[in-house]
C-alpha cells in the first residue's frame, strides 16, 4: 500500500500544500507515495472577497487541477483525528462515515468567525465568514426591497472594526443603494477601539477616515454590542439601534479540529509549529494556514490568518511533509515582508508595507492593486501540470 499524505482542507493552504507535495514527488519520480485532499467540495472558496456582492461566484474549481498533478480528492467533512493510530474519520456527501489512514497529515482546515456568548448573536446576526453565510447575507439584503421603508430596514450594523469589518462596511452603502433605490441608507460600524481604524495603526487610519466619509459609514467607537434581537442591537452604553441587518465580524478562531491534536496553542486556537510547520510534539502532523501558529521572521512576528500567509505556508508544509517521507531536507518557512491592501469601497483602497503598516498607495491607485490581488493573484493556477508544479516551489519569492 502506498504511503499517503493526507491534507484536510481545500482552502488556500490546503490547495498549495497539495501542489507543493506533488511538485516534490514529481521531482523524485517515485510511484510508491500518494497525496490526498479531504474537503467538502473540490473548490477553492475565495474567502477574502466574501464582503463583495455575488458571493456565490467567488470560487475556483480545483478538481481538474488536482487530477493534472496527480492529487486524489476525497469529498467529505473531517470529524475526528486519531494521532496515535494515524487515522482521520470523515463523513461523505451521503452521510456515511469512513476512515482513512495517513503517514503524514497536513491540517489545513482553516478558521471560522468567533461567536462570543452575546445574547441573540447566533440567532440574529449574519457574517461573511463562509460562502454559505455570505450568500445568506446577500439573499437577505436583496429581500429588504420587499419590506416597507423603515429605519430598521435601511440600517446595517457591522460589529467589529478589523479588516473584514471595514471592508464589509465600506462596501455596504453601494450595495444597499443598488437594492433600495432612493432610500436613505445608513451603515454603522461598532468597534471597541478608541478611534476609527484603531486596530490597523496610524498609517492607514487617514485612508479609513476618508473612505468612511465618502461612503457615509458612521463609526461608533469605544463601544460594543451586548445583545442582539430580531429588531436590532443593544450597545454597552444602553443605546438601542433598530436594524434588520446585523453583521458580525469581530474575531476569528482556528478550526475546531486543532483541539484534537495535542500541542501548544495561541489565543486563536492555532497549533504551535516549528520552522518546518510540523506541530511541535507531533512526529507525523503538520499544521498550515489558519491552523498554524508559525513564526515569519526572527523578530517575533507570526503569520496572520490571511491568504497572504496561507499560500506560502501551504507551499512549505506540502513540500516538507513530502520531504519527510522521501528522506530529503525540509525547507524553513520564513516570510519577513508583511503587506496589507485594505479595500475601502468606492473611495479606493489603502496599501501598506511593514508591520507598522506604512502607507504606500491609497485611493484609486490602491484600488487597482487590490483588484489585481483579488481577481488574479490569489486564484489557483490553471490545470496545467508543468505550470502548476512550477508555481508551487516553496523558494518562490513571497511577500
Amino acid at each position: 500500500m502506498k504511503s499517503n499524505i493526507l491534507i484536510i482542507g481545500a482552502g488556500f493552504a490546503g490547495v498549495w500544500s497539495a501542489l507543493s507535495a506533488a511538485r516534490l514527488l514529481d521531482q523524485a519520480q517515485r510511484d510508491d507515495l500518494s497525496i490526498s485532499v479531504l474537503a467538502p467540495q473540490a473548490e477553492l472558496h475565495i474567502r477574502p472577497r466574501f464582503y463583495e456582492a455575488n458571493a456565490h461566484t467567488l470560487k475556483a474549481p480545483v478538481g481538474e487541477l488536482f487530477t493534472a498533478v496527480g492529487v486524489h480528492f476525497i469529498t467529505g467533512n473531517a470529524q475526528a483525528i486519531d494521532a496515535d493510530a494515524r487515522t482521520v474519520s470523515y463523513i461523505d456527501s451521503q452521510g456515511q462515515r469512513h476512515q482513512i489512514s495517513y503517514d503524514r497529515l497536513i491540517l489545513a482546515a482553516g478558521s471560522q468567525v468567533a461567536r462570543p456568548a452575546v445574547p441573540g448573536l447566533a440567532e440574529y446576526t449574519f457574517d461573511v465568514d463562509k460562502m454559505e453565510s455570505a450568500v445568506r447575507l446577500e439573499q437577505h439584503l436583496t429581500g429588504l426591497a420587499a419590506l416597507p421603508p423603515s429605519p430598521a430596514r435601511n440600517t446595517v450594523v457591522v460589529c467589529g472594526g478589523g479588516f473584514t469589518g471595514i471592508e464589509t462596511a465600506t462596501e455596504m452603502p453601494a450595495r444597499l443603494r443598488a437594492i433600495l433605490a432612493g432610500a436613505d441608507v445608513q451603515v454603522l460600524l461598532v468597534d471597541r477601539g478608541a478611534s476609527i481604524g484603531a486596530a490597523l495603526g496610524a498609517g492607514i487610519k487617514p485612508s479609513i477616515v476618508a473612505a468612511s466619509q465618502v461612503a457615509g459609514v458612521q463609526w461608533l467607537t469605544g463601544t460594543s454590542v451586548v445583545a442582539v434581537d430580531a429588531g436590532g442591537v443593544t450597545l454597552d452604553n444602553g443605546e438601542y439601534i433598530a436594524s434588520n441587518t446585523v453583521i458580525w465580524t469581530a474575531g476569528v478562531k482556528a478550526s475546531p479540529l486543532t483541539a484534537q491534536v495535542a500541542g501548544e496553542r495561541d489565543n486563536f486556537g492555532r497549533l504551535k509549529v516549528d520552522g518546518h510547520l510540523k506541530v511541535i510534539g507531533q512526529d507525523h502532523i503538520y499544521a498550515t494556514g489558519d491552523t498554524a501558529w508559525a513564526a515569519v521572521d526572527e523578530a517575533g512576528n507570526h503569520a496572520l490568518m490571511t491568504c497572504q500567509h496561507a499560500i506560502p505556508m501551504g507551499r512549505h508544509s506540502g513540500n516538507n511533509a513530502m520531504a519527510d517521507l522521501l528522506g530529503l531536507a525540509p525547507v524553513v518557512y520564513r516570510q519577513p515582508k508583511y503587506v496589507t491592501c485594505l479595500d475601502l469601497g468606492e473611495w479606493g483602497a489603502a496599501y501598506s508595507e511593514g508591520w507598522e503598516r506604512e502607507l504606500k498607495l491609497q485611493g484609486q491607485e490602491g484600488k487597482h492593486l487590490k483588484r489585481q490581488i483579488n481577481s488574479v493573484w490569489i486564484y489557483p493556477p490553471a490545470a496545467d501540470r508543468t505550470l502548476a508544479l512550477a508555481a508551487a516551489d516553496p523558494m518562490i519569492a513571497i511577500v
Side-chain angles (χ1 to χ4, degrees):
M1 186 174 181
K2 289 185 177 182
S3 296
N4 180 37
I5 291 178
L6 176 62
I7 301 164
I8 300 178
F12 292 102
V15 167
W16 285 100
S17 288
L19 296 179
S20 188
R23 171 187 171 274
L24 203 58
L25 182 59
D26 179 73
Q27 291 181 351
Q29 293 293 293
R30 293 265 294 270
D31 60 4
D32 58 333
L33 304 172
S34 66
I35 305 158
S36 301
V37 173
L38 171 64
Q41 306 95 16
E43 297 173 343
L44 172 61
H45 290 177
I46 312 301
R47 188 182 186 190
R49 298 184 61 183
F50 285 168
Y51 63 90
E52 300 179 25
N54 300 312
H56 66 284
T57 67
L58 302 176
K59 57 188 177 182
V62 293
E64 291 185 5
L65 172 62
F66 286 160
T67 298
V69 298
V71 170
H72 175 56
F73 182 78
I74 304 169
T75 302
N77 285 283
Q79 300 293 304
I81 299 170
D82 187 332
D84 293 329
R86 293 196 225 172
T87 61
V88 171
S89 298
Y90 69 95
I91 295 177
D92 67 19
S93 56
Q94 283 74 47
Q96 300 297 310
R97 181 175 287 271
H98 303 268
Q99 189 176 83
I100 183 172
S101 298
Y102 64 82
D103 293 277
R104 297 295 182 272
L105 177 67
I106 301 177
L107 184 57
S111 60
Q112 60 191 45
V113 65
R115 292 185 174 275
V118 174
L121 190 153
E123 297 88 348
Y124 300 112
T125 64
F126 297 86
D127 65 70
V128 293
D129 186 53
K130 306 294 184 187
M131 174 169 284
E132 295 79 7
S133 56
V135 169
R136 175 174 168 261
L137 171 61
E138 182 149 29
Q139 292 171 342
H140 166 80
L141 293 173
T142 302
L144 292 175
L147 300 178
S150 70
R153 185 199 72 163
N154 297 349
T155 299
V156 171
V157 177
V158 178
C159 309
F163 276 90
T164 301
I166 292 171
E167 292 188 325
T168 301
T170 52
E171 185 82 3
M172 188 56 62
R175 294 180 67 178
L176 276 181
R177 286 193 295 269
I179 295 167
L180 305 175
D184 185 16
V185 302
Q186 180 176 226
V187 176
L188 306 176
L189 198 159
V190 180
D191 186 45
R192 288 184 293 183
S195 61
I196 294 175
L200 275 68
I204 304 178
K205 179 177 178 177
S207 298
I208 299 171
V209 171
S212 297
Q213 291 173 343
V214 168
V217 174
Q218 179 183 348
W219 283 68
L220 304 179
T221 57
T223 189
S224 58
V225 170
V226 296
V228 188
D229 59 36
V233 300
T234 302
L235 305 181
D236 57 1
N237 60 10
E239 181 183 356
Y240 185 82
I241 300 171
S243 173
N244 293 145
T245 311
V246 181
I247 306 172
W248 190 266
T249 70
V252 67
K253 60 182 180 180
S255 164
L257 289 172
T258 56
Q260 300 187 27
V261 178
E264 186 179 353
R265 294 168 178 76
D266 69 355
N267 293 334
F268 301 104
R270 299 182 298 178
L271 289 159
K272 189 171 185 179
V273 297
D274 63 18
H276 305 141
L277 302 182
K278 183 179 285 188
V279 176
I280 293 177
Q282 297 289 339
D283 291 330
H284 309 105
I285 301 178
Y286 294 76
T288 191
D290 289 359
T291 68
W293 178 20
V296 297
D297 55 30
E298 310 305 325
N301 295 307
H302 289 78
L304 300 182
M305 298 163 92
T306 67
C307 66
Q308 173 185 179
H309 289 118
I311 292 172
M313 287 173 76
R315 289 189 181 119
H316 283 75
S317 56
N319 179 89
N320 291 342
M322 183 57 72
D324 206 0
L325 290 178
L326 293 170
L328 301 176
V331 178
V332 175
Y333 166 70
R334 287 294 182 264
Q335 193 173 350
K337 185 176 181 180
Y338 171 63
V339 304
T340 68
C341 198
L342 179 68
D343 207 348
L344 292 168
E346 295 177 325
W347 179 86
Y351 169 74
S352 71
E353 294 182 354
W355 290 95
E356 298 301 319
R357 294 182 180 142
E358 181 181 355
L359 186 67
K360 296 294 185 180
L361 295 173
Q362 62 178 322
Q364 292 307 307
E365 278 189 303
K367 192 76 165 186
H368 176 73
L369 177 59
K370 184 66 172 181
R371 289 192 180 112
Q372 286 290 310
I373 294 170
N374 272 6
S375 62
V376 180
W377 295 358
I378 63 176
Y379 277 71
D384 179 295
R385 181 180 178 86
T386 301
L387 294 178
L389 295 182
D393 186 347
M395 301 312 293
I396 289 175
I398 53 177
V399 296

